[in-house]
């Protein structure tokens, strides 16, 4: 049960550990042996992106994100859920009006420079 409760933290720490390890190994190989691992940059970027996403999820789970709730605190208890729903719908509308849906769906698969193939980034 411990693993399921802390899955975000475990996966984020694995991803950031892979990032650090791959970068250190690539630096040692590049400057020590004049050899570069071609996929190391992509792997480190993908692992770093996933560690950020998982860290965001973990912070949300533990309610560690900062928020300004001055207006919400002044509202009556019955109105607070309706107000939060309206704010949520407003931000979703802003996201989609600026083309966020197009960017998140159609840029998810991008041309990889180092491997000359396609890498799924899921951003």
């Amino acid at each position: 049960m411990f693993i399921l409760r802390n899955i975000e933290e475990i996966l984020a720490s694995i991803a950031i550990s892979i990032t650090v390890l791959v970068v250190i190994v690539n630096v040692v190989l590049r400057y020590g042996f004049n050899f570069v691992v071609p996929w190391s940059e992509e792997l480190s970027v993908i692992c770093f992106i996933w560690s950020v996403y998982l860290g965001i999820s973990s912070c949300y789970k533990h309610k560690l994100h900062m928020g300004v709730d001055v207006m919400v605190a002044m509202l009556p208890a019955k109105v607070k859920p309706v107000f939060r729903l309206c704010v949520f719908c407003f931000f979703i509308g802003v996201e989609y009006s600026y083309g966020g849906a197009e960017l998140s769906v159609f840029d998810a698969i991008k041309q990889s420079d180092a491997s000359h193939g396609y890498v799924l980034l899921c951003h």
Side-chain angles (χ1 to χ4, degrees):
M1 204 61 179
F2 172 79
I3 293 175
L4 291 178
R5 279 184 288 164
N6 299 314
I7 192 74
E8 294 97 350
E9 292 90 350
I10 293 169
L11 292 176
S13 61
I14 290 170
I16 203 72
S17 299
I18 290 171
T19 301
V20 170
L21 183 66
V22 166
V23 168
I24 289 172
V25 167
N26 199 33
V27 167
V28 169
L29 288 175
R30 177 177 291 163
Y31 293 111
F33 301 103
N34 202 18
F35 176 74
V36 178
V37 180
W39 46 264
S40 64
E41 180 182 352
E42 291 181 19
L43 179 63
S44 61
V45 167
I46 291 170
C47 286
F48 183 74
I49 289 170
W50 276 103
S51 68
V52 169
Y53 286 153
L54 292 166
I56 290 169
S57 172
S58 175
C59 286
Y60 183 77
K61 180 174 75 173
H62 295 293
K63 300 188 185 326
L64 295 175
H65 283 294
M66 292 175 36
V68 180
D69 62 349
V70 175
M71 286 185 61
V72 177
M74 293 189 307
L75 293 173
K78 292 182 179 181
V79 180
K80 287 181 184 181
V82 175
F83 182 76
R84 287 189 176 124
L85 179 65
C86 291
V87 169
F88 176 75
C89 290
F90 171 75
F91 282 117
I92 292 295
V94 168
E95 168 74 23
Y96 283 116
S97 68
Y98 283 110
E102 182 181 49
L103 289 175
S104 64
V105 172
F106 297 115
D107 267 356
I109 299 176
K110 85 172 209 183
Q111 179 71 31
S112 170
D113 294 331
S115 65
H116 304 292
Y118 286 96
V119 177
L120 183 63
L121 287 181
C122 298
H123 62 276

